[in-house]
């Protein structure tokens, strides 16, 4: 870690800062080289491995079977080797646990009564009675579609057909519970039998946002809870019995409200998938978060898991005076840079995954990441339980559920229609990790790291509107293993081939005392980031420069922090600087953005001035043969952002001895285009359809303003709303939540990652734009 904390005292020979990847120093007698004229393939194989390869990979099983949105895989416990898969549309399918299985029979089809209006509604749960082999009973949870009946969830008992073990008796349905649902989301729906023979039912808070009906903390309501009922007995006026040892039976609060006896635990937003450890009997669930955190809980009798006072282990509303000390902390949590919708799994008790016995597996529906949590008693901490968690796989699957067969082997249900297993990758992980470049000079991407010269064939590029990074400017390059492999699109995302490496070196000008005059000086290289399209998908790595600026070392997987002495017009101060973790990289390089930021038509449509040479970038890429096809019209005729005037490292000088070390100009173009471009670059990677931000906002540049669903729209977080405040309030910057978030630094700042400082130019542009919007500007109806 010495390299991280000593950067602030390094000294570098004058002129090094502008030595570039295509240039040899003039005094050496060699010719100065500018932009490439022909394509040269780059060998990027050295960074195709991994410094910390995942111990497990997802492998598809039952390849001849495909399912429609599978949300559950389980077994009947009757020893006959069958597996059952629940399809959200309202069908349960059954097949033999044989990888060569060619057909899955329909065990139960109730799609005609299953409501699927909302994305989270449907047939959501299946549990076989512990004595199924004797009584043939199984239970399901589904959203009900009945004419003239308000939205509701149903828990029902069914029986298997008397003459066909692969067919349920549809007519045998006995409804146990009808649960009114105010909205279409947060249905929970997982049902499991515990080792005590009781049925446990996971219920969400009823939906919308922020738990508007305050169900999760209300013991008189069933929503936002885990219930426990006895399906083998009946109480008066019930189709089941409430176990007498449930924690809130007979409880009456200070207002005279009687608790529902079915409640086992409370404080859940949307518990997605319950599971019991078949060895210890402990109950686990994941709880889907709202704005920032996803969590995993080990459920205790009578426990309160915090929603909506907390999201994960964090106060949901930090200024709320109402605090509850009895809230139980999650066993694991993660921020939305690692995913956006947790999928609860199970404690592994099979025999095939060596070293994972007793590990609780869980994943994320959006990122496909898979983690484990291990809980054990810690004698040194007076009987407290120690939690160890780690990521064990990156699948890029839409993981909707984990399941297990009767032997305890684990499966993943994915919305691509496949069933998967996690297995060791079949490689020498230690050898792969050892082979990965620990220094930037070992990557093969630089001819000389000390001189900042790139390897032959690495192509420089610049952007019209660079991402704000606390005054850092960037030196950008792309390395391609083959010509003709970049798929161009006028407005949509470009697509890049396997083996692509994007190289971005960050420079921080330590003298910004004349920043207002556009002058920057005393730059230092802080880090070089690589974004690699490897076999497992896009991955990011950070290399931190040493004191002498001669090389850079691979940053730890979890990132690092330091400070830099920076001179400003008002004096010197220590500027915080964060080197991102591997997960942080994909927090901005989202799946919705196809993982690549910046390399798109509106950003690349510009001239590049590169050490005495210049050319239009799109024309240059076409000339080099990088695109899969010729452009359909002249490059300059495509849409483009206006130049922002700051963020690209100045490479315009003709030689390495150029005196000018930095420059800054004002953004070009009209203020609306400036503002929309800034929002697209800094916010839209999350705020667009199918991305990680909550709500339905869309801040992409080409989206009409009315369809952004930001104008005159109240902030989604009900508990944080202020009277008269909208996400964007036309003519009222002071009443615009968007502006308050972009001009804030702390827990609720936007963008949430990679910045400690407010962008002064961006802030001024957004204020001017919002102030100039007509007050009568109104959005169209929300989606």
């Amino acid at each position: 870690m010495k390299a991280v904390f000593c950067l602030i005292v390094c000294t570098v020979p004058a002129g090094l800062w502008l030595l570039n990847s295509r240039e040899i120093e003039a005094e050496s007698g060699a010719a100065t080289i500018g932009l490439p004229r022909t394509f040269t393939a780059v060998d990027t194989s050295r960074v195709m491995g991994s410094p910390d390869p995942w111990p497990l990979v997802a492998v598809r099983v039952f390849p001849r079977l495909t399912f429609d949105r599978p949300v559950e895989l389980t077994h009947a416990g009757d020893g006959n080797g069958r597996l059952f898969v629940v399809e959200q549309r309202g069908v349960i399918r059954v097949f033999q646990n044989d990888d060569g299985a060619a057909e899955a029979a329909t065990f139960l089809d109730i799609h005609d009564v299953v409501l699927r209006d909302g994305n989270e509604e449907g047939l959501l749960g299946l549990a076989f009675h512990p004595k199924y082999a004797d009584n043939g009973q199984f239970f399901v949870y589904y959203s009900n579609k009945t004419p003239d009946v308000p939205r509701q969830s149903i828990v029902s008992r069914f029986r298997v057909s008397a003459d066909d073990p692969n067919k349920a008796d549809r007519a045998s349905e006995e409804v146990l519970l009808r649960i009114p649902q105010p909205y279409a989301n947060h249905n929970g729906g997982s049902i499991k039998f515990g080792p005590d023979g009781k049925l446990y039912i996971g219920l969400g808070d009823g939906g919308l946002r922020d738990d508007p009906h305050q169900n999760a903390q209300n013991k008189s309501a069933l929503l936002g809870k885990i219930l426990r009922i006895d399906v083998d007995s009946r109480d008066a006026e019930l189709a089941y019995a409430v176990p007498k040892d449930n924690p809130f039976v007979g409880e009456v609060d200070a207002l005279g409200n009687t608790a529902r006896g079915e409640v086992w635990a409370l404080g859940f937003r949307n518990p997605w998938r319950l599971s019991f450890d078949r060895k210890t009997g402990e109950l686990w669930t994941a709880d889907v978060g709202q704005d920032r955190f996803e969590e995993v809980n080990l459920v205790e009798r009578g426990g309160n898991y915090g929603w909506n006072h907390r999201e994960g282990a964090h106060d949901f509303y930090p200024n709320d005076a109402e605090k509850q000390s009895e809230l139980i902390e999650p066993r694991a949590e993660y921020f939305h840079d690692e995913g956006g919708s947790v999928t609860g799994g199970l404690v592994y008790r099979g025999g095939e995954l060596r070293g994972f016995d007793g590990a609780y597996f869980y994943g994320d529906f959006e990122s496909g990441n898979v983690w484990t949590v291990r809980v054990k008693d810690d004698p040194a901490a007076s009987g407290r339980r120690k939690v160890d968690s780690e990521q064990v796989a990156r699948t890029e699957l839409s993981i909707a559920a984990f399941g297990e067969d009767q032997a305890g082997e684990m499966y993943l249900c994915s919305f691509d229609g496949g069933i998967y297993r996690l297995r060791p990758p079949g490689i020498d992980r230690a050898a792969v990790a050892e082979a990965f470049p620990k220094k930037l000079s070992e990557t093969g991407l630089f001819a000389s790291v000390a001189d900042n010269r790139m390897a032959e064939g690495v192509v420089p590029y610049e952007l019209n509107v660079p991402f704000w990074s606390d005054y850092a400017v960037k030196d950008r390059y792309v390395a391609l293993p083959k010509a003709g492999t970049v798929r161009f699109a006028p407005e949509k995302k470009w697509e890049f081939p396997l083996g692509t490496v994007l190289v971005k070196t960050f420079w921080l000008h330590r003298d910004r005392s004349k920043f207002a005059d556009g002058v920057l000086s005393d730059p230092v290289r802080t880090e070089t980031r690589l974004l690699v399209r490897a076999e497992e998908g896009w991955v990011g790595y950070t290399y931190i420069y040493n004191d002498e600026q001669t090389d850079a070392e691979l940053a730890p997987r979890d990132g690092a922090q330091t400070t830099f002495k920076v001179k400003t017009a008002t004096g010197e101060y220590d500027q915080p600087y964060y080197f991102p973790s591997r997960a942080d990289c994909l927090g901005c390089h989202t799946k919705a953005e196809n993982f690549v930021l910046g390399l798109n038509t509106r950003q690349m449509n510009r001239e590049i001035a590169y050490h005495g040479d210049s050319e239009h970038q799109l024309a240059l890429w076409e000339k080099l043969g990088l695109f899969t096809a010729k452009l359909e019209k002249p490059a300059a005729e495509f849409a483009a952002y206006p130049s922002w005037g700051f963020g690209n490292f100045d490479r315009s000088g003709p030689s390495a001895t150029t005196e000018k070390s930095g420059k800054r100009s004002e953004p070009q173009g009209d203020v609306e285009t400036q503002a929309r471009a800034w929002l697209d670059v800094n916010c839209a990677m999350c705020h667009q359809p199918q991305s990680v931000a909550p709500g339905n906002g869309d801040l992409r540049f080409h989206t009409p303003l009315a369809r952004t669903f930001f104008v005159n729209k109240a902030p989604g977080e009900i508990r944080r709303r202020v009277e008269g405040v909208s996400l964007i309030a036309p003519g009222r910057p002071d009443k615009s939540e968007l502006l308050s978030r972009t001009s804030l630094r702390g827990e609720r700042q936007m963008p949430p990652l990679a910045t400690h400082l407010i962008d002064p130019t961006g802030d001024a542009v957004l204020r001017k734009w919002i102030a100039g919007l007509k007050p009568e500007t109104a959005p169209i109806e929300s989606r």
Side-chain angles (χ1 to χ4, degrees):
M1 294 301 294
K2 178 182 178 182
V4 175
F5 294 99
C6 295
L7 283 172
I8 60 175
V9 297
C10 65
T11 59
V12 187
L16 172 62
W17 311 115
L18 295 186
L19 195 59
N20 66 90
S21 66
R22 304 293 301 165
E23 182 178 290
I24 303 174
E25 290 182 290
E27 53 262 37
S28 70
T32 298
I33 301 175
L35 296 169
R37 298 303 171 195
T38 59
F39 174 78
T40 301
V42 181
D43 179 7
T44 59
S45 60
R46 298 186 198 179
V47 292
M48 289 298 111
S50 174
D52 33 30
W54 305 119
L56 299 172
V57 295
V59 177
R60 185 161 183 175
V61 293
F62 315 118
R64 301 172 70 182
L65 301 179
T66 300
F67 301 92
D68 183 5
R69 293 173 69 98
V71 295
E72 186 88 82
L73 181 148
T74 189
H75 62 92
D78 57 1
N80 67 9
R82 295 174 300 167
L83 292 176
F84 296 79
V85 171
V86 176
E87 295 180 329
Q88 191 176 355
R89 63 192 174 113
V91 176
I92 300 173
R93 299 170 67 187
V94 59
F95 58 97
Q96 283 296 317
N97 190 355
D98 180 345
D99 206 45
E103 184 178 357
T106 298
F107 180 69
L108 177 67
D109 184 351
I110 56 171
H111 79 274
D112 56 313
V113 296
V114 169
L115 183 65
R116 283 287 293 116
D117 289 350
N119 180 58
E120 298 176 25
E121 293 176 311
L123 177 57
L124 303 177
L126 167 65
F128 288 90
H129 195 285
K131 296 180 179 179
Y132 176 78
D134 299 322
N135 62 25
Q137 296 180 18
F138 65 95
F139 299 78
V140 300
Y141 176 113
Y142 64 92
S143 307
N144 182 231
K145 179 172 62 179
T146 301
D148 303 321
V149 174
R151 176 177 272 114
Q152 61 181 345
S153 294
I154 287 180
V155 178
S156 285
R157 182 197 328 253
F158 284 86
R159 289 174 171 79
V160 69
S161 171
D163 53 5
D164 186 349
N166 289 332
K167 198 77 171 178
D169 180 0
R170 169 70 188 269
S172 68
E173 181 176 13
E174 176 190 356
V175 175
L176 304 185
L177 262 173
R178 295 183 185 271
I179 306 158
Q181 293 283 0
Y183 307 105
N185 58 339
H186 303 181
N187 286 271
S190 184
I191 56 177
K192 296 289 180 183
F193 277 96
D196 56 3
K198 305 300 188 291
L199 183 65
Y200 292 73
I201 305 165
L203 296 176
D205 63 10
L208 208 61
R209 290 176 55 85
D210 303 304
D211 190 8
H213 298 290
Q214 300 296 301
N215 287 317
Q217 292 295 321
N218 179 7
K219 295 176 186 176
S220 300
L222 295 180
L223 295 175
K225 313 295 191 305
I226 292 175
L227 312 181
R228 176 178 180 254
I229 64 174
D230 182 353
V231 299
D232 295 322
S233 303
R234 297 188 63 155
D235 290 338
E237 300 181 359
L238 294 176
Y240 57 89
V242 174
K244 298 299 186 289
D245 58 346
N246 276 5
F248 305 114
V249 171
E251 180 178 301
V252 179
D253 66 19
L255 300 176
N257 299 311
T258 302
R260 290 294 298 259
E262 297 94 333
V263 174
W264 181 254
L266 69 152
F268 298 98
R269 180 176 181 269
N270 191 29
W272 185 250
R273 310 294 86 179
L274 310 179
S275 67
F276 283 93
D277 183 340
R278 60 168 60 192
K279 181 177 179 179
T280 68
E282 292 176 315
L283 173 60
W284 290 81
T285 188
D287 197 17
V288 180
Q290 179 169 289
D291 299 315
R292 300 171 64 81
F293 295 96
E294 305 295 306
E295 66 181 274
V296 169
N297 294 297
L298 185 55
V299 181
E300 302 174 9
R301 177 183 182 275
N304 186 339
Y305 292 84
W307 180 252
N308 62 359
H309 295 298
R310 291 186 190 171
E311 184 182 37
H314 309 266
D315 288 338
F316 181 59
Y317 187 27
N319 297 324
D320 192 346
E322 182 182 3
K323 306 290 182 181
Q324 296 190 32
S325 59
E326 75 275 11
L327 303 182
I328 298 176
E329 301 292 338
R331 294 297 177 174
E333 67 172 10
Y334 58 92
F335 186 63
H336 278 180
D337 60 341
E338 298 187 68
S341 182
V342 68
T343 296
L346 52 86
V347 176
Y348 181 72
R349 296 297 182 185
E352 294 187 8
L353 295 181
R354 295 184 179 180
F356 287 96
D357 181 67
Y360 175 79
F361 282 79
Y362 65 101
D364 187 87
F365 176 79
E366 294 182 0
S367 69
N369 292 337
V370 178
W371 299 265
T372 59
V373 174
R374 298 174 188 264
V375 178
K376 55 187 178 182
D377 293 331
D378 185 4
S382 302
R384 293 178 59 188
R385 310 202 74 185
K386 182 180 179 182
V387 177
D388 295 320
S389 62
E390 65 171 333
Q391 187 175 343
V392 295
R394 180 187 175 204
T395 70
E396 295 193 1
L397 299 172
S398 297
I399 304 171
F402 291 72
E404 62 179 350
D405 60 23
Q406 194 159 351
E409 297 305 332
M410 181 173 61
Y411 301 81
L412 281 65
C413 298
S414 171
F415 270 12
D416 67 357
I419 305 298
Y420 293 81
R421 294 277 298 274
L422 293 176
R423 288 175 173 154
I427 59 173
D428 185 337
R429 293 177 59 226
V432 170
E434 180 62 28
F436 193 84
K438 304 303 186 300
K439 295 184 177 181
L440 196 57
S441 58
E442 299 169 353
T443 63
L445 298 168
F446 284 74
S448 170
V449 173
D451 296 333
N452 194 37
R453 284 192 292 115
M454 306 302 289
E456 183 179 7
V458 180
V459 179
Y461 71 95
E462 292 180 351
L463 305 181
N464 280 316
V465 183
F467 183 89
W468 168 251
S469 299
D470 291 356
Y471 295 98
V473 294
K474 294 119 181 184
D475 193 9
R476 297 176 175 85
Y477 301 86
V478 61
L480 294 168
K482 189 177 179 181
T485 52
V486 179
R487 189 175 298 278
F488 174 88
E491 292 187 2
K492 297 181 180 180
K493 287 80 175 174
W494 293 4
E495 296 181 12
F496 291 84
L498 183 69
T500 297
V501 180
L502 307 182
V503 184
K504 183 165 57 176
T505 296
F506 286 63
W507 302 73
L508 194 66
H509 288 89
R510 293 174 295 183
D511 185 350
R512 296 200 296 270
S513 59
K514 298 181 179 180
F515 184 78
D517 299 325
V519 179
L520 299 158
S521 61
D522 194 17
V524 60
R525 285 182 294 179
T526 59
E527 59 179 309
T528 290
R529 297 181 190 174
L530 307 182
L531 188 67
V532 181
R533 186 170 184 187
E535 289 284 356
E536 65 181 51
W538 287 97
V539 289
Y541 305 106
T542 295
Y543 287 83
I544 303 172
Y545 281 91
N546 61 19
D547 301 354
E548 298 77 22
Q549 300 270 285
T550 56
D551 211 339
E553 295 187 5
L554 182 66
R557 182 171 68 178
D558 295 331
Q561 297 185 57
T562 189
T563 58
F564 290 93
K565 288 285 186 186
V566 174
K567 183 179 180 181
T568 70
T570 58
E572 280 193 344
Y573 82 106
D574 290 330
Q575 177 173 322
Y577 196 96
Y578 177 66
F579 301 97
S581 68
R582 313 261 207 275
D584 288 336
C585 292
L586 297 181
C588 289
H589 293 269
T590 60
K591 184 186 294 186
E593 277 291 331
N594 206 23
F595 301 103
V596 176
L597 305 177
L599 283 157
N600 57 57
T601 303
R602 56 195 177 276
Q603 284 277 41
M604 294 285 289
N605 194 352
R606 60 170 287 144
E607 289 280 328
I608 179 172
Y610 191 75
H611 298 278
D613 203 353
S614 66
E615 189 159 355
H616 192 284
Q617 284 191 139
L618 298 185
L620 174 63
W621 280 47
E622 184 177 37
K623 184 187 301 182
L624 293 175
L626 305 187
F627 297 129
T628 57
K630 292 286 187 181
L631 299 180
E632 60 189 34
K633 58 184 178 181
E637 294 183 13
F638 291 101
Y641 289 151
S643 176
W644 190 254
F646 180 70
N648 293 309
F649 185 61
D650 181 12
R651 304 180 295 192
S652 59
S655 74
T657 58
T658 300
E659 294 299 326
K660 183 172 57 177
S661 62
K663 64 180 181 179
R664 184 185 73 88
S665 61
E666 293 300 317
Q668 298 175 3
D670 63 87
V671 69
E672 179 177 8
T673 304
Q674 294 170 8
R676 292 300 307 275
W678 191 94
L679 291 171
D680 183 282
V681 170
N682 292 275
C683 308
M685 73 284 287
C686 296
H687 290 278
Q688 65 173 282
Q690 310 305 315
S691 197
V692 299
N696 57 7
D698 186 356
L699 290 176
R700 291 176 296 177
F701 182 76
H702 295 291
T703 302
L705 182 59
R707 293 195 64 83
T708 62
F709 302 108
F710 268 69
V711 179
N712 283 328
K713 183 176 180 181
E717 297 166 273
I718 296 172
R719 298 184 70 187
R720 289 188 168 96
R721 286 181 183 171
V722 177
E723 186 69 28
V725 170
S726 299
L727 293 178
I728 295 177
R732 295 293 306 273
D734 60 316
K735 294 293 186 180
S736 297
E737 173 80 357
L738 180 146
L739 188 58
S740 69
R741 298 287 291 276
T742 58
S743 59
L744 172 74
R745 284 299 170 265
E747 182 182 358
R748 300 182 66 240
Q749 72 176 48
M750 287 294 171
L753 302 173
T755 171
H756 294 89
L757 305 174
I758 298 166
D759 178 359
T761 305
D763 185 69
V765 165
L766 291 177
R767 287 180 187 278
K768 184 177 180 181
W769 171 59
I770 294 173
L773 290 176
K774 300 291 185 183
E776 63 269 18
T777 302
I780 65 173
E781 289 187 19
S782 296
R783 289 172 290 200

